Amino acid sequence: MKKVSIVTGSTACIPAEFEHEYEISVVPFMLIIKDKSYRDNIDITIEEFYKALEEDYAMTSTSVPSLGSLVEILEKELKEAERILYITISSTMSGEYDAASSAVDKLNKDRDRIVLLDSRMAATGQGQIAMEAAMAAKRGEDFQSVLEIAKQTASEVKLHAMIDNLEYLKRSGRVSAISALAVNTLNIKPVFQFIDGEAKPVAKPRSKKKALERIAREAIETFRKKGRPINLALFHVLAEDDAKFLENKIRAEAECESSFTAHFTPVMGKHTGPGLVGASFY
Amino acid sequence: MYYSIAMALSDTRQIIRIVVEGAVESLHMQREMINSLNLFPVPDGDTGTNMYLTMAGGLREMEKTPFSSIEQALHDFALGALKESRGNSGVILAQLLEGISSGLSGPGSPGVQELLNGFRNGAKLVYSAVQNPVEGTILTVVREMAEGLESYGESSLEEFLAGAYTLACQSLLRNRGLLDKYTPGRITPVDSIDAGGAGLVIAFEGALSSIGIPVDKLDWSKFIPRYRFSDYCGPRWDLRFLVDCASNKLGELKAELNDLGDSIVLAGSTSPYTIHIHTNDPEEVLNAISSYGSISGIEASEMLDAHPFSNPEPQGKYRHTTVIAYSSGEGMQSAFREMGAEVLEIRPEAQIEMGVLLDTVNRLNSASVVILPNCPNMVRNANDVAQSFSGKVTVIPTESPIQGLAAMEEYFDNGNPGEILENMKRAAAAVETGYIVGENAHSPDREGPSSDNTFTFSGRVGNSLISEDGNLVRVVISVCESLRDKRSGSALTLIAGKGLDETDRNEISAGISELIPEFEQEWYKDNSSGWLLHVGLE
């Protein structure tokens, strides 16, 4: 039996190969199209979901994992590990943490074996926290050590993203500050940063290129401040070329200890729309 | 000689009374105007009122005693003014009156020499009454008037008095602006005149007019400040009281007062002495000074009670940081608004009136303000305002609207204000800018350029003239190449002014694409007429 099992939601955007390599258990969020539910990244492809989104925005929605699926996954992991560390998306962004708490409550005698960690992060930032914790778990470190590593990574990781089309975000109502932005005259591509568990606009460059360069600058500065290679993750919504451009910009001036590119989960992509590109790093 | 002025009047008492009433009435009539000039030491807008009440107090005292002589009447007048003195200027005015009164004492009827002596005494007294004399105030007016009057020793009384008035006016105007620097933490006035000095001139004006001495009146409306103060940062209380103190303790008392407040005036030639002080703790002052003698006549008022310049009510939602962007054309004004800035409209080659900018800053419901001048000529103007607000206002010296836009890209009112400000500064500095203007010697009324050779276009980067040519595209390309030499960027922003039409834009765009293909162009339209094209590379 493993000492520690790492569980996280599909919002962590962990590529399938790393799920297996690091033995991370990923709980799928739900995508709902015309009253039919699909498990994120399992029952529907990204392209299919965005096609449906474009056709009829109002008929698509997203949902936290069902209580049943959460209990099921936790019960399964409890059989394979002494303790579970469940790393959720920022509780300010989703009800996953609450749903997971309810699921843990239903596990009665085993509830103390599970610890929930609000990552205060999302996307690959959340994924990198889970991956660091999973690596520690795989090394055989005890639960407390794994938890500390997860917390330490959560305190260090930064996430910036550029929105290509503000309409989706405006419709979602997810980022109130966005209402202050108008894009009638200017070709603004706002850059958001995860700050205190929330995505906040930090810059409004007047072109996509400038926005990507702004994100790259943040990663490069992190590299320079830390004085060591950074761990880099890129994500995008149907914008692979832009993600590659961003990666190249960063790598041109910053050394990377690790790097991967992930598809931004449609669970959040519904609110950002296609064209989103971002990076998380620490 | 002295009485020749008033030969038509029936008695001396009446002359004195008319003169004093003329001065009091003049102050009464113009006290609000004097209040509006009040900038120093505290912009509490009460100088006119205080000087009027001081003089009125003197008049009341003078009327209490049956008239026996000019000397006695003026002595009573000065004593009453001292007793009823209000504020710094009132106390100083009372000191001057006491000095003049003392000069008149002596055998015989007072004449020019006695008055001259009185003004000398008055000048000494007013300086000795103030702990830290500041030039440019009523003190300077009194001193320069007394100094100037030395040359009137042989004049007629009428000439002497008219000369005193003229000297006071000249001093007031000559020292205009000396007090501007003494308003840290508030809005800096420009070329201000001292309200106390003005009050003295106005009192003189009334006195002389009452006995038929002609005076050239100043147009006071020219001197009224056009703008308001941000806030008052000094002591809260204006405290005045009398202390019955032994004269050999005065030095010690003055030293102690220095530690208790500012704008200190210690007046009176004999005990009880009048003390005026601005302090945050009146009780502390009274406790400390009570050890020097009994205290009476305590009056305390809050400094801003009667302030006519109370801040305008801030408008709009509160923001940590608000950006004011200068802009001349509708296109850029709209762009800056979309980026979240407050826009202040400017006209090419014209400065923004300080008062307008000050009012704009004051109206903002914001803890801090950032100004983007967006024009080289406006940077100094903005800096002048920033200095007046002691830290509240920061100027990012943007010399082009493109630098302003770059700064705005980093502006959000939702994070660490210091960090955001640094990002804005960095973004503005990361843009190299140039501009193109066009001249048409043959058709001066025509606003726009064309490809014909009657136009001469000139392109500048900073202060350097990069190119002059009859071909607009060539000039733009030269400017772009110059920018490329200075900055390793590829994002090229172009703002087309009113005189640039669609054809010009297309030609320029095609020219850049062909000759500098690595530049990614971002075009904006403005309707400004002072230039044809702004170009910025980042």
PDB file of all heavy atoms in Angstrom, chain B residues 13 62 89 96 332 350 401 455 467 486:
ATOM      1  N   ARG B  13     -10.797 115.539  16.699  1.00  0.00           N
ATOM      2  CA  ARG B  13     -11.387 114.265  17.057  1.00  0.00           C
ATOM      3  C   ARG B  13     -12.135 113.659  15.875  1.00  0.00           C
ATOM      4  O   ARG B  13     -12.059 112.456  15.619  1.00  0.00           O
ATOM      5  CB  ARG B  13     -12.331 114.457  18.236  1.00  0.00           C
ATOM      6  CG  ARG B  13     -12.960 113.162  18.661  1.00  0.00           C
ATOM      7  CD  ARG B  13     -13.958 113.331  19.762  1.00  0.00           C
ATOM      8  NE  ARG B  13     -14.510 112.046  20.113  1.00  0.00           N
ATOM      9  CZ  ARG B  13     -15.460 111.872  20.992  1.00  0.00           C
ATOM     10  NH1 ARG B  13     -15.976 112.929  21.623  1.00  0.00           N
ATOM     11  NH2 ARG B  13     -15.914 110.684  21.266  1.00  0.00           N
ATOM     12  N   MET B  62     -11.150 103.129  21.273  1.00  0.00           N
ATOM     13  CA  MET B  62     -10.876 104.556  21.122  1.00  0.00           C
ATOM     14  C   MET B  62     -12.096 105.390  21.502  1.00  0.00           C
ATOM     15  O   MET B  62     -11.982 106.466  22.102  1.00  0.00           O
ATOM     16  CB  MET B  62     -10.477 104.843  19.671  1.00  0.00           C
ATOM     17  CG  MET B  62      -9.958 106.242  19.410  1.00  0.00           C
ATOM     18  SD  MET B  62      -9.435 106.430  17.699  1.00  0.00           S
ATOM     19  CE  MET B  62     -10.992 106.796  16.908  1.00  0.00           C
ATOM     20  N   SER B  89      -2.297  88.040  11.190  1.00  0.00           N
ATOM     21  CA  SER B  89      -2.288  89.364  10.567  1.00  0.00           C
ATOM     22  C   SER B  89      -2.878  90.413  11.492  1.00  0.00           C
ATOM     23  O   SER B  89      -2.412  91.563  11.507  1.00  0.00           O
ATOM     24  CB  SER B  89      -3.071  89.325   9.256  1.00  0.00           C
ATOM     25  OG  SER B  89      -2.457  88.442   8.370  1.00  0.00           O
ATOM     26  N   LEU B  96       1.735  97.083  14.533  1.00  0.00           N
ATOM     27  CA  LEU B  96       2.079  98.247  13.710  1.00  0.00           C
ATOM     28  C   LEU B  96       1.411  99.498  14.276  1.00  0.00           C
ATOM     29  O   LEU B  96       2.048 100.564  14.398  1.00  0.00           O
ATOM     30  CB  LEU B  96       1.628  98.008  12.264  1.00  0.00           C
ATOM     31  CG  LEU B  96       1.783  99.211  11.323  1.00  0.00           C
ATOM     32  CD1 LEU B  96       3.248  99.604  11.168  1.00  0.00           C
ATOM     33  CD2 LEU B  96       1.178  98.914   9.951  1.00  0.00           C
ATOM     34  N   MET B 332      -7.872  59.573 -29.402  1.00  0.00           N
ATOM     35  CA  MET B 332      -7.052  59.175 -28.269  1.00  0.00           C
ATOM     36  C   MET B 332      -7.788  59.358 -26.944  1.00  0.00           C
ATOM     37  O   MET B 332      -7.601  58.611 -26.004  1.00  0.00           O
ATOM     38  CB  MET B 332      -5.736  59.967 -28.271  1.00  0.00           C
ATOM     39  CG  MET B 332      -4.702  59.443 -29.227  1.00  0.00           C
ATOM     40  SD  MET B 332      -4.190  57.720 -28.880  1.00  0.00           S
ATOM     41  CE  MET B 332      -5.123  56.819 -30.091  1.00  0.00           C
ATOM     42  N   ALA B 350      -0.916  74.743 -26.244  1.00  0.00           N
ATOM     43  CA  ALA B 350      -1.490  75.521 -25.132  1.00  0.00           C
ATOM     44  C   ALA B 350      -1.297  74.749 -23.834  1.00  0.00           C
ATOM     45  O   ALA B 350      -1.398  73.527 -23.818  1.00  0.00           O
ATOM     46  CB  ALA B 350      -2.970  75.777 -25.374  1.00  0.00           C
ATOM     47  N   PRO B 401       1.413  60.260 -26.882  1.00  0.00           N
ATOM     48  CA  PRO B 401       0.249  59.456 -26.496  1.00  0.00           C
ATOM     49  C   PRO B 401       0.529  57.960 -26.561  1.00  0.00           C
ATOM     50  O   PRO B 401      -0.110  57.173 -25.849  1.00  0.00           O
ATOM     51  CB  PRO B 401      -0.828  59.869 -27.506  1.00  0.00           C
ATOM     52  CG  PRO B 401      -0.140  60.630 -28.578  1.00  0.00           C
ATOM     53  CD  PRO B 401       1.105  61.179 -27.990  1.00  0.00           C
ATOM     54  N   PHE B 455       4.231  69.987 -50.177  1.00  0.00           N
ATOM     55  CA  PHE B 455       4.335  69.773 -48.738  1.00  0.00           C
ATOM     56  C   PHE B 455       5.769  69.508 -48.337  1.00  0.00           C
ATOM     57  O   PHE B 455       6.526  68.840 -49.034  1.00  0.00           O
ATOM     58  CB  PHE B 455       3.506  68.556 -48.325  1.00  0.00           C
ATOM     59  CG  PHE B 455       2.127  68.927 -47.917  1.00  0.00           C
ATOM     60  CD1 PHE B 455       1.110  68.976 -48.843  1.00  0.00           C
ATOM     61  CD2 PHE B 455       1.843  69.237 -46.604  1.00  0.00           C
ATOM     62  CE1 PHE B 455      -0.176  69.307 -48.460  1.00  0.00           C
ATOM     63  CE2 PHE B 455       0.563  69.572 -46.227  1.00  0.00           C
ATOM     64  CZ  PHE B 455      -0.441  69.615 -47.145  1.00  0.00           C
ATOM     65  N   SER B 467      14.253  63.704 -40.510  1.00  0.00           N
ATOM     66  CA  SER B 467      14.102  63.799 -41.960  1.00  0.00           C
ATOM     67  C   SER B 467      13.181  64.951 -42.331  1.00  0.00           C
ATOM     68  O   SER B 467      12.198  65.225 -41.627  1.00  0.00           O
ATOM     69  CB  SER B 467      13.528  62.473 -42.481  1.00  0.00           C
ATOM     70  OG  SER B 467      13.191  62.580 -43.846  1.00  0.00           O
ATOM     71  N   LYS B 486      17.238  52.667 -32.141  1.00  0.00           N
ATOM     72  CA  LYS B 486      17.269  52.948 -30.704  1.00  0.00           C
ATOM     73  C   LYS B 486      16.633  51.842 -29.877  1.00  0.00           C
ATOM     74  O   LYS B 486      16.891  51.708 -28.683  1.00  0.00           O
ATOM     75  CB  LYS B 486      16.504  54.249 -30.410  1.00  0.00           C
ATOM     76  CG  LYS B 486      17.188  55.502 -30.917  1.00  0.00           C
ATOM     77  CD  LYS B 486      16.243  56.689 -30.779  1.00  0.00           C
ATOM     78  CE  LYS B 486      16.904  57.973 -31.233  1.00  0.00           C
ATOM     79  NZ  LYS B 486      17.872  58.505 -30.282  1.00  0.00           N
TER      80      LYS B 486
END
